Amino acid sequence: MPSLNWTRSNDTSDQELQTLASNIDHGNDGTIHSSGRGRTGSLGVKQPATHLRDISAEVSSTHDLPRPSFGEPIAKTRLPVLHLLTAITALLCLALALAAVVSERISWHLGVDNRQIIVLGFLLSVMNICLGSVTPTLFLHLEARFGSSTLQNYNGILRNQFFSSRLSAVWRLTIGLTLALPLGLSVAYKTFTGGSSAIPVDAAAAIGNSTYYGMFAPPGLQLQGEKTGVSLFSNATLPFAVASSHFYDAESGRYEPPLPTQAKTYGFNILLLNNESSAILDIPQPSYISAVQALLADGESWNISASVYATVATFNHSSSKDKSAYEDYYFSFCEDAQESSGAYTHMSMMNGWSLVLLDHASPGDQSLQYIGLTPDPGINEDPTCDDLLPFARLYDINRQQCNGTWSVTRGGIELVDGFCDGTILPSDQQEVIVHNSLFLGVWYMPSLVEFLGQFATSRNGSEWTSPYTATALAAMVWSRISVLNTPISRNEIDFKAPKELARLTAEKAGLTYQVDDTAQYIRPTLRKSGLLCFILAIQPLLIILALGLTATVFHSAPLSRGFGLVSIMSGIDRDSLDYLAGATLSGKLTKNLRLIMQPTHLDEKDMIEYRLVTPSSRERPMRNARLAPKIVYH
């Protein structure tokens, strides 16, 4: 058998050699074979790749070679570029968020399909990411300067883990708050619903037609009833009656609401000017309103402001100025009415009271109306002029110039603001009142009894008597003219009027006319609240605070934004690593370990040494050392 010489490496054990020998056999050709896997040597022997290497020699030769250094030495800067970019990003997001809330035009465009909420949610998320990239650096500096500087605290801060092992209660609370902050902000900003944003619009361009106003009924009410005006009267006055109805208020002890101290709107065209005067404003043409409603989505509205005409009823004070002259005129008026068909109207209320309405015979001047709640002489008897005199109240009715603002929604139209300056329109615009056949008492007595009858009984002596009466008379005249004389569409050139008014067109009579109005398109958005702006600014403010503290107060702390596993391993005192034995898989320690950071100068290089000590160790310094400025640390 040929001879075989083995050179035994330092790391090859006797057991390995015995195992190798047991796997060798002799072939027929005298060649030595090995049953183990390997490669064939120059002597015809298969040598195992694993067991025949000289491991110790390889390791020794590796130790003898110089090792490259991959660490990047730096000097600590006050404000890293990445932190600066983070702050700029957060401030840009804040600016966009504030613009999405405060800017009327931007918030209006975003106020569709909750896009404003979606955009704000996205920007808050970006700001939260920016905050999350800055706060750990501040927390690490706080722990190094004021905390116990334990390895477990650093680990929990770096991993942002609320349930990190042996994390101190202060940092557990702090991390919990940082995790809860974005959740709280995402809920908080959504509570500011109920706001709106508006932009001006060109009404004529939007509806594709000129804007006309007049004595119109709102959409859906133009053809109600038999063109008597009674149903229109009821629809117009109902909001006023509901808002001013009597009730018992336990706090004030009142049975009815107080009179408004300034002009107040009700329904789609009633404007109570004061406690003695009420105006019924002309409204936009029904086709105009319908065209606007077709443009609106749920929750949207138009606010339309225009200078329009109004039918105004005002209490006449002539009785207090010259009682004798007033009475002379009254008796003349009353006697003429009694002799005219439909000018003197009486209706019994079947409760000891009755309502009497006096006006001029139709066709004739309807600008003066006497009305009174009187003791009832009986169903078949009318009160005499003498009986009526103490109860009759005289009102002037005319057409005046007023201004109104309407809110148009998909559900209807409502007068929201208005005023009248007392300007009485020229005679042509008064003709529909002073030369018209209205027969008001014939058609409106039941409605007037329904509306005013309570002031003879349950609300007798109420301060609302005069406002109710003025509103009733103005609405009565307006509704009657609207159904008798106003064209439903602009295709009707001349309004329907008696022969005395045949010379006037509807526009000259002030029944329908073109107006250059102003309109605002309103959409529901978040409320423009200072508190909402503060909620949006919380995260950027915290970012600026964190960067300010790390750049000034904590600039000398022996760590930077890159503090972590690599920096610790780069400067760790290898003798102190024995404290970590047993945690290779769990990553947990049974006791707290302090991580001491100490700048050192070694081999003409400045570096930071990290050393692990137990809290009971007497070798540890009380505080981590501080960095020298403008020094490059390896």
Side-chain angles (χ1 to χ4, degrees):
M1 183 179 80
S3 61
L4 178 65
N5 296 323
W6 295 97
T7 300
R8 178 178 177 180
S9 68
N10 295 334
D11 293 340
T12 305
S13 64
D14 294 338
Q15 184 179 359
E16 289 176 325
L17 293 176
Q18 292 174 5
T19 303
L20 177 63
S22 65
N23 290 331
I24 299 176
D25 57 3
H26 299 278
N28 295 330
D29 55 357
T31 303
I32 300 176
H33 300 281
S34 171
S35 60
R37 291 180 297 175
R39 52 187 177 86
T40 305
S42 60
L43 298 178
V45 180
K46 280 192 174 183
Q47 301 173 358
T50 302
H51 299 293
L52 296 183
R53 288 177 182 170
D54 191 343
I55 300 174
S56 177
E58 291 182 3
V59 173
S60 299
S61 62
T62 303
H63 276 293
D64 294 338
L65 295 176
R67 296 179 179 176
S69 176
F70 299 110
E72 180 183 351
I74 63 168
K76 187 174 182 180
T77 58
R78 290 189 179 274
L79 188 61
V81 175
L82 189 57
H83 277 175
L84 178 61
L85 293 176
T86 299
I88 293 174
T89 301
L91 291 175
L92 286 176
C93 289
L94 174 61
L96 293 174
L98 293 178
V101 172
V102 177
S103 171
E104 286 286 335
R105 185 165 293 275
I106 294 176
S107 60
W108 183 87
H109 283 288
L110 292 176
V112 179
D113 298 329
N114 293 323
R115 286 189 300 200
Q116 186 187 32
I117 292 179
I118 294 172
V119 168
L120 291 180
F122 170 76
L123 294 175
L124 281 173
S125 298
V126 175
M127 288 187 281
N128 178 57
I129 293 173
C130 294
L131 180 63
S133 66
V134 169
T135 50
T137 304
L138 174 64
F139 295 163
L140 292 172
H141 281 79
L142 288 170
E143 175 66 14
R145 177 67 64 86
F146 303 112
S148 56
S149 192
T150 65
L151 185 63
Q152 289 90 339
N153 283 347
Y154 289 122
N155 181 58
I157 293 171
L158 288 170
R159 297 175 62 191
N160 199 33
Q161 290 288 334
F162 177 78
F163 295 103
S164 182
S165 174
R166 305 191 70 82
L167 183 66
S168 69
V170 172
W171 288 119
R172 202 178 298 278
L173 176 62
T174 303
I175 293 174
L177 291 176
T178 59
L179 294 175
L181 177 62
L183 299 177
L185 295 179
S186 66
V187 173
Y189 86 94
K190 295 186 180 75
T191 62
F192 288 85
T193 56
S196 63
S197 296
I199 62 170
V201 292
D202 185 344
I207 67 173
N209 199 357
S210 299
T211 54
Y212 283 89
Y213 287 71
M215 301 179 76
F216 296 113
L221 296 180
Q222 300 98 314
L223 301 178
Q224 291 292 318
E226 296 297 328
K227 291 194 174 182
T228 63
V230 173
S231 60
L232 185 55
F233 170 89
S234 299
N235 277 279
T237 57
L238 183 60
F240 173 84
V242 171
S244 58
S245 60
H246 65 297
F247 62 94
Y248 179 70
D249 185 358
E251 293 183 3
S252 63
R254 297 175 61 94
Y255 283 89
E256 56 186 6
L259 284 173
T261 57
Q262 57 186 4
K264 185 172 177 57
T265 61
Y266 301 90
F268 58 84
N269 68 344
I270 290 181
L271 177 63
L272 183 63
L273 300 174
N274 49 60
N275 62 345
E276 294 182 341
S277 183
S278 186
I280 310 298
L281 273 61
D282 294 352
I283 66 172
Q285 190 176 9
S287 60
Y288 177 12
I289 299 173
S290 299
V292 171
Q293 291 175 323
L295 300 174
L296 300 176
D298 289 338
E300 296 181 346
S301 64
W302 272 33
N303 269 15
I304 305 173
S305 298
S307 177
V308 297
Y309 304 156
T311 304
V312 181
T314 306
F315 178 70
N316 187 305
H317 285 274
S318 59
S319 62
S320 60
K321 295 178 181 179
D322 190 341
K323 185 176 181 181
S324 176
Y326 170 80
E327 291 182 352
D328 290 341
Y329 182 81
Y330 161 77
F331 282 111
S332 174
F333 191 102
C334 182
E335 291 170 0
D336 289 343
Q338 287 179 326
E339 296 174 0
S340 304
S341 174
Y344 183 106
T345 314
H346 158 260
M347 174 169 281
S348 172
M349 294 169 54
M350 307 296 291
N351 60 0
W353 290 91
S354 63
L355 180 68
V356 177
L357 179 66
L358 297 180
D359 53 31
H360 282 114
S362 294
D365 185 0
Q366 309 298 315
S367 62
L368 291 177
Q369 299 284 330
Y370 285 94
I371 189 169
L373 290 165
T374 68
D376 187 11
I379 298 177
N380 298 321
E381 295 184 22
D382 293 337
T384 65
C385 292
D386 289 325
D387 294 336
L388 178 60
L389 177 61
F391 303 97
R393 298 172 63 87
L394 176 61
Y395 284 83
D396 296 314
I397 300 177
N398 52 40
R399 298 276 283 166
Q400 295 184 16
Q401 188 74 50
C402 297
N403 284 75
T405 299
W406 288 266
S407 174
V408 180
T409 64
R410 294 188 66 179
I413 178 173
E414 181 181 7
L415 181 66
V416 295
D417 193 16
F419 67 91
C420 298
D421 58 11
T423 301
I424 298 177
L425 297 176
S427 59
D428 281 352
Q429 282 80 50
Q430 306 295 338
E431 290 294 295
V432 291
I433 296 177
V434 299
H435 288 104
N436 212 338
S437 299
L438 301 181
F439 294 97
L440 297 173
V442 174
W443 301 107
Y444 285 88
M445 288 304 290
S447 297
L448 292 176
V449 167
E450 182 93 15
F451 195 70
L452 300 175
Q454 58 188 316
F455 294 100
T457 54
S458 60
R459 300 180 72 175
N460 192 350
S462 169
E463 60 184 0
W464 280 92
T465 303
S466 185
Y468 258 76
T469 306
T471 301
L473 294 176
M476 175 180 65
V477 174
W478 166 83
S479 60
R480 183 63 176 159
I481 296 174
S482 296
V483 298
L484 283 181
N485 307 130
T486 303
I488 295 177
S489 68
R490 285 294 302 166
N491 295 328
E492 299 185 42
I493 303 300
D494 294 328
F495 71 98
K496 307 163 190 174
K499 60 183 180 179
E500 292 84 358
L501 300 179
R503 62 182 181 84
L504 296 176
T505 64
E507 190 162 357
K508 288 183 178 180
L511 292 172
T512 177
Y513 43 92
Q514 187 175 350
V515 175
D516 293 330
D517 55 13
T518 59
Q520 286 190 319
Y521 196 152
I522 301 174
R523 281 177 174 165
T525 57
L526 297 178
R527 285 181 283 116
K528 296 171 179 58
S529 167
L531 181 57
L532 175 58
C533 295
F534 174 73
I535 289 173
L536 297 175
I538 285 178
Q539 294 182 115
L541 290 176
L542 291 177
I543 290 174
I544 294 174
L545 177 63
L547 294 181
L549 290 175
T550 54
T552 56
V553 178
F554 302 118
H555 179 60
S556 61
L559 50 81
S560 69
R561 181 184 177 278
F563 178 81
L565 180 62
V566 173
S567 60
I568 294 175
M569 295 296 293
S570 174
I572 192 70
D573 179 5
R574 290 164 176 76
D575 292 337
S576 65
L577 290 176
D578 292 340
Y579 288 120
L580 304 180
T584 56
L585 181 60
S586 68
K588 297 180 179 180
L589 300 175
T590 58
K591 291 185 178 180
N592 287 333
L593 288 178
R594 291 201 67 198
L595 181 65
I596 304 302
M597 308 173 195
Q598 185 71 36
T600 61
H601 187 80
L602 182 65
D603 296 334
E604 298 183 353
K605 293 181 179 179
D606 291 285
M607 60 182 297
I608 301 174
E609 181 185 46
Y610 298 93
R611 185 157 52 95
L612 296 174
V613 298
T614 60
S616 60
S617 174
R618 297 180 180 179
E619 300 177 1
R620 63 176 178 85
M622 293 300 295
R623 296 292 179 190
N624 293 314
R626 298 189 178 188
L627 298 180
K630 300 181 181 180
I631 298 297
V632 176
Y633 289 91
H634 293 72

